[in-house]
Amino acid sequence: MNFNYQMPTKLLFGKGQLNNLHKEDLPGKKALIVVSSGKSVKKYGYLERLEKELEKANVQYVIFDKILPNPIKSHVMEGALLAREEKCDFVIGLGGGSSIDSAKSISVMATNEGDYWDYISGGTGKEKPVKNDPLKVIAITTTAGTGTEVDPWTVITNEDTNEKIGFGYEKTFPSIAVVDPELMLSVPKKLTAYQGFDALFHSTEGYLNKTANTMSDIYALKAIELIGKSLKKAVLNGNDIEARSDIALANTLSGFVESTSGCTSEHSIEHALSAYHQDLTHGAGLIMISGAYYTFIAKSGKCDDRMVEMAKALGKKDAKESMDFVKALLELQRDCEVNDLKMSDFNIDKDNLGKYVKNARETMGGLFLVDPIEINDEAVLNILKESYR
């Protein structure tokens, strides 16, 4: 019963909420809209809907549409330069976690000098303090995976050094978040599953984390429950708006978990994989290592009560031991048809798994410090070996 709690983001949640954005007190008069290099936000009309909302609010805008699925530092710098040149006074991230994360990072560099990596802690980052407040950010999520719309965190890859590192502080919380399940109906089957498991692991990691507290526990268990109840439905029938709404809420709750507790080394390990293999979707990478990762924790015998509670929340109501969570997890992966993912399909180097172990420790080693048990380099290597197919 000893924790700090800050949740400064105003949340607009529910079907059709994007249509209400123009009614809000927006943080400026000219926005940089950050979207991915893909076509979905344009194809399905989400960008056009946002543009109409801004026009109703008498807000001008400029579009930056280069963001990759694993966003990179050079695009952060390019977007920040555009924001300055166009005199944008706030940033909107429209899309999945990559677009919203990039919007946050761009907002920092739009008001600060130097290179983005100057402010990063870990790896080759220089860990300088952020001198000037970032621009305000509005986050409009079209996916249900990262919860980044309600947390301060942003994950960017330095493509020159193969370092994928998280960053954030109290001033990188979005000022407004729009979570509208209507915008998620177009997400393909596989991506729905990948994103849903990402949200799940934000909550399971947050629940096992040494920093877990009363507030994060409440959010985590409810998110796990919603995912156990509705992820399979959303994957198998993408037009099921009730299931989409459940997973959207689970995603947002997982963002609350990230703001009150945090990730463990499962994320460090996956970031190392996708730092080298940028075509690896983050959620897919997490799925591939999750069975071995949670089995290692379960077999330690040091998290039995919490593992059982997670198993019950995920739907295994008769759970009595830690491995029941692993069983429930693997069953959900089978139900969502993502149990056949192979590291070899992403050209992950089986003969040099040690480089990923080293990268995980050097870039995001801080997450190992909040693991509920010690997970040393030998254990990480074994987790990767057991996960490899």
Side-chain angles (χ1 to χ4, degrees), residues 95-111:
S98 58
S99 295
I100 297 173
D101 280 12
S102 297
K104 295 177 188 177
S105 298
I106 287 169
S107 77
V108 171
M109 295 313 301
T111 59

Side-chain angles (χ1 to χ4, degrees), residues 2 66 157 170 188:
N2 188 349
K66 296 187 178 182
T157 297
E170 67 272 10

Side-chain angles (χ1 to χ4, degrees), residues 32 34-35 37 64-82 102-103 105-106 109 116 156-157 159 278:
L32 179 76
V34 179
V35 298
S37 59
F64 183 68
D65 60 357
K66 296 187 178 182
I67 305 304
L68 301 175
N70 279 304
I72 57 177
K73 179 173 73 78
S74 60
H75 287 159
V76 169
M77 298 304 297
E78 187 177 346
L81 178 61
L82 180 61
S102 297
S105 298
I106 287 169
M109 295 313 301
Y116 180 68
I156 302 294
T157 297
E159 65 272 37
Q278 293 185 20

Side-chain angles (χ1 to χ4, degrees), residues 56-186:
K56 287 180 183 178
N58 294 315
V59 171
Q60 296 179 302
Y61 56 86
V62 178
I63 296 170
F64 183 68
D65 60 357
K66 296 187 178 182
I67 305 304
L68 301 175
N70 279 304
I72 57 177
K73 179 173 73 78
S74 60
H75 287 159
V76 169
M77 298 304 297
E78 187 177 346
L81 178 61
L82 180 61
R84 289 195 299 271
E85 289 177 341
E86 293 288 339
K87 294 181 172 54
C88 296
D89 50 10
F90 71 108
V91 183
I92 300 176
L94 171 66
S98 58
S99 295
I100 297 173
D101 280 12
S102 297
K104 295 177 188 177
S105 298
I106 287 169
S107 77
V108 171
M109 295 313 301
T111 59
N112 286 278
E113 297 179 348
D115 184 81
Y116 180 68
W117 230 245
D118 292 343
Y119 305 100
I120 296 298
S121 174
T124 60
K126 296 180 180 178
E127 204 172 351
K128 291 183 179 179
V130 180
K131 182 178 179 181
N132 301 315
D133 288 355
L135 298 179
K136 296 292 186 182
V137 172
I138 293 177
I140 304 170
T141 182
T142 62
T143 66
T146 68
T148 188
E149 69 276 5
V150 291
D151 72 38
W153 310 116
T154 167
V155 179
I156 302 294
T157 297
N158 184 335
E159 65 272 37
D160 298 324
T161 59
N162 293 314
E163 295 173 302
K164 183 177 180 180
I165 302 179
F167 169 80
Y169 67 121
E170 67 272 10
K171 292 182 179 178
T172 49
F173 273 99
S175 58
I176 299 173
V178 178
V179 182
D180 184 341
E182 282 185 343
L183 308 185
M184 302 170 188
L185 294 173
S186 59

